[in-house]
Amino acid sequence: QLVSFRAVYPGAAMASAAMRFIRSETGPMTTHFWGPVANWGIVLSAAYDSYYKGPEIISLPMTGTMIVYSGLFMRFAWAVQPRNYLLLACHTFNVTAQSNQLRRALEYKLETEKNARAEIEALGKRAAAGGAAVATMIAVRNPLHAACMNSTGPARALAEWQAGPFYIHFWAPTFKWMLSVANLMDLNRPVEKVSLSQQASLTATGIIWSRYSMVINPVNYNLMIVNIALAASSGYHLSRKLMAEYGSGKSSK
């Protein structure tokens, strides 16, 4: 009786599976793999900072933006073609990691700033208003989309555009602009309060995703432009931090 080669050599089956993954459309020979890998740097940065760094380096604007950004890109990872489970897992973990950082930052703010509670309550109200606006947009999306599809001309073309405002392919990249806005809000942030790991991972993400946006379906020019802006704004903070830590011969603490 002939025995299967794979049954005799179980390692052959594992090697075959590994080669199929390597050569797959989301394997390490493609940007569909390295784009999400770059995003994992953001998760690892949050984990690193939470363990090794104090809460004073946490930027509230950036951390809050990160939570919403990753929530949107969880949906984006599911909708994009090819579907990207590595990206989905990355942003699921990032929501958790950034939520922990937000908790640490708020606790630190309450302990060290006199008017922190009133400021946090105001931020909470703005977040609630934003959530209500998002819920309203979700509620009107389907009927508005159907109405546009039943029309002619530009309205119908807008409804059919896969990277248009009726789809996550528009809203996830559009909200990603807020990462650069958060960087601009921290433009004059003291360099000792800038996270080296976070800005390095954001810079890498911006560079790699500028390419990734051109190989996914649908091709997303909005995503490309926002990542170029992210690479530039994060690269600015990264250069500030590197110059402060190493430019004058100092060693990183």
Side-chain angles (χ1 to χ4, degrees), residues 82-246:
R83 183 168 289 167
N84 203 310
Y85 296 102
L86 183 59
L87 184 61
L88 176 63
C90 164
H91 284 292
T92 302
F93 277 97
N94 196 43
V95 168
T96 303
Q98 298 299 334
S99 295
N100 178 56
Q101 287 292 81
L102 181 63
R103 174 192 62 79
R104 295 179 67 220
L106 292 176
E107 288 177 352
Y108 176 76
K109 196 174 184 68
L110 286 170
E111 290 173 1
T112 59
E113 296 182 21
K114 184 176 180 181
N115 298 321
R117 186 169 299 277
E119 185 179 342
I120 291 170
E121 287 177 356
L123 287 171
K125 290 177 182 178
R126 287 200 290 270
V134 170
T136 301
M137 292 172 65
I138 292 173
V140 303
R141 186 266 180 195
N142 286 344
L144 185 58
H145 183 251
C148 290
M149 287 295 289
N150 291 329
S151 65
T152 58
R156 183 179 178 87
L158 187 66
E160 292 176 341
W161 182 26
Q162 292 295 306
F166 288 105
Y167 297 93
I168 192 65
H169 306 293
F170 174 83
W171 290 106
T174 297
F175 188 83
K176 196 169 185 177
W177 279 103
M178 294 304 296
L179 295 179
S180 288
V181 171
N183 271 335
L184 291 175
M185 291 174 67
D186 289 338
L187 195 63
N188 297 316
R189 186 177 178 84
V191 71
E192 63 272 14
K193 292 186 177 181
V194 172
S195 168
L196 176 62
S197 60
Q198 183 184 75
Q199 293 301 331
S201 61
L202 286 172
T203 303
T205 292
I207 293 169
I208 295 174
W209 274 66
S210 299
R211 169 59 181 162
Y212 179 60
S213 60
M214 294 291 98
V215 298
I216 56 176
N217 184 25
V219 170
N220 201 312
Y221 294 99
N222 185 18
L223 186 59
M224 179 188 71
I225 296 168
V226 71
N227 278 289
I228 292 172
L230 180 62
S233 62
S234 298
Y236 167 74
H237 285 293
L238 179 61
S239 65
R240 290 176 63 219
K241 185 70 172 180
L242 290 173
M243 286 297 295
E245 295 286 344
Y246 304 107

